[in-house]
Amino acid sequence: MMNVYNTVLVPIDVFSDYTQILSRALQVAPDTDNIHLLYVAFPQTNVEPYGLFLERDYSQDVKEQAMKKLSEIAAGNNIPTGNVNVEIGSPADEIHYVAEKLNADLIVIGTHGQSGLRLLLGSTANAVLHGVKRDVLAVKI
């Protein structure tokens, strides 16, 4: 008999194809209330020459867009909106942090993903595996 996972963390890239990852999480979680969605955005700044304020932080814009998209995904899958998380930082570090914070039993992650700059292709899942204290289900996409 397989153990029931009470808290399943599902980090997804809302701007890429996440359907297989979410589908697998829905299969292993006992209920949609047990699923927590996470999107991690990279910090982004833009330096403007001659600008009075030399840096504009785009992180808040990205965070708001991702939260809107993640909330839509949650609503479409009967996942409580309180189970939606958006963080800014290094994907593996933030996944570890949120997993600890939620005391997640399982992390369901894609084995490769890509952002607009094709950053960390495949290495995020690998980095999550190292130093994690919970089960990880890697979904081949």
Side-chain angles (χ1 to χ4, degrees):
M1 182 171 136
M2 191 170 110
N3 290 342
V4 172
Y5 292 109
N6 293 315
T7 306
V8 178
L9 178 61
V10 186
I12 56 174
D13 182 351
V14 296
F15 304 107
S16 289
D17 186 14
Y18 55 83
T19 52
Q20 288 176 289
I21 302 161
L22 184 56
S23 174
R24 189 56 54 94
L26 290 164
Q27 290 171 359
V28 298
D31 191 271
T32 55
D33 289 349
N34 301 81
I35 295 177
H36 293 259
L37 300 177
L38 170 64
Y39 175 76
V40 181
F42 287 96
Q44 298 176 356
T45 57
N46 183 35
V47 178
E48 296 178 24
Y50 318 115
L52 200 55
F53 301 102
L54 292 179
E55 290 188 6
R56 181 187 188 292
D57 186 356
Y58 289 93
S59 300
Q60 195 58 39
D61 297 341
V62 171
K63 194 170 183 175
E64 288 170 13
Q65 289 174 12
M67 184 59 93
K68 182 176 186 279
K69 181 76 171 142
L70 216 51
S71 295
E72 290 169 2
I73 294 165
N77 289 280
N78 295 321
I79 297 168
T81 52
N83 291 9
V84 172
N85 306 277
V86 176
E87 301 292 339
I88 306 287
S90 158
D93 291 345
E94 295 302 325
I95 292 166
H96 286 153
Y97 169 75
V98 173
E100 285 288 325
K101 185 172 81 171
L102 296 172
N103 196 24
D105 304 301
L106 176 68
I107 299 170
V108 179
I109 191 167
T111 56
H112 83 279
Q114 55 190 12
S115 65
L117 299 175
R118 299 181 145 246
L119 293 169
L120 298 178
L121 192 60
S123 63
T124 298
N126 191 37
V128 168
L129 286 171
H130 294 286
V132 76
K133 298 173 185 147
R134 51 222 1 103
D135 288 354
V136 176
L137 174 59
V139 178
K140 184 100 170 122
I141 52 176

